[in-house]
């Protein structure tokens, strides 16, 4: 009995080690952290900022405070392979006309410490949204916007945060949709947006390019079907995975506010 018991323990430890290694290998195929790009030319100079996550990591961000009569702020979560400066340059059109924008970055990305995991990115998002509420002017509303993987971060957190609305761009149904069948059962990170969107009670606007070859347009319809009526699909005719944000930004703000 003792020998069998030791053998069982050894087998359990070996399995855990194998699965642990497998998990990291899978994560290495899921996430593509990008280092911090060179500082771009800003249309309106943002304020560099940092947040501290619940597990003690310090992450970089950028903040464009609302100006003039504007009070509202949108928190932007970038996609896989993105970084604070490159995606900040892409997203900065959302800060036009005095709108507020808080640009986030994740652990392992943009020179930040840590390694990306689904739980880790959720913790990162919580820290940035909490900071956004600290900075939100009196009477202002807070919104969240996520591009691709960032859409998964936004949808996953929207049931935890008292935001007024959520917008996504080019977001998938679940990350397992892109994995071979044999991998799906052992994937450590799921980003199941179909389940997440069903828990959200505020309006969700799903922007998606009809010519998106990274995340097919059909994913938007799947998410809408899973949303219990809270989501609206906005097709971007002929657009790919990175549509022109200069043209998209006014549509995003109009949809979020209405």
């Amino acid at each position: 009995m003792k020998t069998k018991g030791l053998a069982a323990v050894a087998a359990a430890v070996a399995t855990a080690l194998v699965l642990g290694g497998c998990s990291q290998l899978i994560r290495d195929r899921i996430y593509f952290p990008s280092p911090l790009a060179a500082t771009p030319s800003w249309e309106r100079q943002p304020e560099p900022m940092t947040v501290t996550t619940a597990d003690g990591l310090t992450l970089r961000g950028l903040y464009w405070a609302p100006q003039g009569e504007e009070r509202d702020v949108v928190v932007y979560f970038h996609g896989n392979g993105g970084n604070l400066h490159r995606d900040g340059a892409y997203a900065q059109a959302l800060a036009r006309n005095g709108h507020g924008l808080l640009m986030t970055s994740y652990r392992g990305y943009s020179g930040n410490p840590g390694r990306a995991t689904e739980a880790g990115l959720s913790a990162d998002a919580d820290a940035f949204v909490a900071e956004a509420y600290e900075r939100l002017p009196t009477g202002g509303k807070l919104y969240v916007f996520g591009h691709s993987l960032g859409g998964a971060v936004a949808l996953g957190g929207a049931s935890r945060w008292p935001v007024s609305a959520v917008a996504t761009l080019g977001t998938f149904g679940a990350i397992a949709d892109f994995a071979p069948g044999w991998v799906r059962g052992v994937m450590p990170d799921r980003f199941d947006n179909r389940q997440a969107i069903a828990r959200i009670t505020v309006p969700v606007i799903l922007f998606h390019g009809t010519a998106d070859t990274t995340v097919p347009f059909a994913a938007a319809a799947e998410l809408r079907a899973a949303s219990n009526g809270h989501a609206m699909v906005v097709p971007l005719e002929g657009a790919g995975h990175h549509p022109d944000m200069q043209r998209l930004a006014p549509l995003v703000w109009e949809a979020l506010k209405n």
Side-chain angles (χ1 to χ4, degrees):
M1 290 293 292
K2 185 177 292 186
T3 301
K4 290 182 179 179
L6 290 173
V9 170
V13 170
T15 300
L17 289 172
V18 169
L19 290 178
C22 182
S23 294
Q24 190 54 57
L25 286 172
I26 292 170
R27 285 188 172 119
D28 289 343
R29 302 300 187 275
I30 291 175
Y31 303 105
F32 300 97
S34 172
L36 190 63
T39 304
S41 297
W42 302 115
E43 295 180 9
R44 175 157 70 96
Q45 190 68 30
E47 173 193 345
M49 52 164 287
T50 61
V51 298
T52 302
T53 64
D55 55 346
L57 298 181
T58 299
L59 309 177
R60 297 183 176 97
L62 297 168
Y63 183 63
W64 289 260
Q67 293 182 333
E69 298 297 317
E70 290 294 334
R71 294 290 184 270
D72 300 339
V73 174
V74 62
V75 181
Y76 188 104
F77 300 104
H78 66 71
N80 207 357
N83 68 76
L84 185 63
H85 284 167
R86 191 194 75 183
D87 289 271
Y90 179 65
Q92 68 178 326
L94 290 163
R96 287 178 175 171
N97 302 316
H99 291 299
L101 169 64
L102 194 155
M103 183 72 202
T104 72
S105 63
Y106 314 122
R107 62 188 64 204
Y109 291 72
S110 306
N112 288 325
R115 300 186 75 163
T117 65
E118 183 173 6
L121 267 60
S122 295
D124 301 345
D126 288 346
F128 278 108
V129 169
E131 180 67 18
Y133 270 108
E134 289 291 325
R135 294 169 178 260
L136 188 68
T138 302
K141 293 182 178 180
L142 192 69
Y143 304 99
V144 292
F145 181 100
H147 181 202
S148 194
L149 177 64
V153 177
L155 291 172
S159 62
R160 304 192 303 273
W161 311 321
V163 296
S164 294
V166 185
T168 67
L169 172 62
T171 294
F172 46 82
I175 205 162
D177 296 347
F178 301 92
W182 68 270
V183 173
R184 295 178 187 181
V186 296
M187 288 183 70
D189 297 338
R190 302 305 179 98
F191 289 109
D192 192 333
N193 294 329
R194 289 183 287 264
Q195 288 189 8
I197 202 170
R199 298 192 298 268
I200 299 173
T201 58
V202 299
V204 181
I205 304 95
L206 305 166
F207 292 93
H208 212 116
T210 60
D212 190 336
T213 57
T214 302
V215 180
F217 178 72
E222 293 176 9
L223 288 174
R224 184 185 183 283
S227 73
N228 298 321
H230 291 295
M232 173 182 68
V233 176
V234 180
L236 305 176
E237 294 296 334
H241 198 57
H242 286 85
D244 185 353
M245 187 58 73
Q246 309 287 333
R247 299 173 61 185
L248 181 59
L251 300 179
V252 171
W253 276 111
E254 181 181 0
L256 288 171
K257 287 174 174 283
N258 293 320

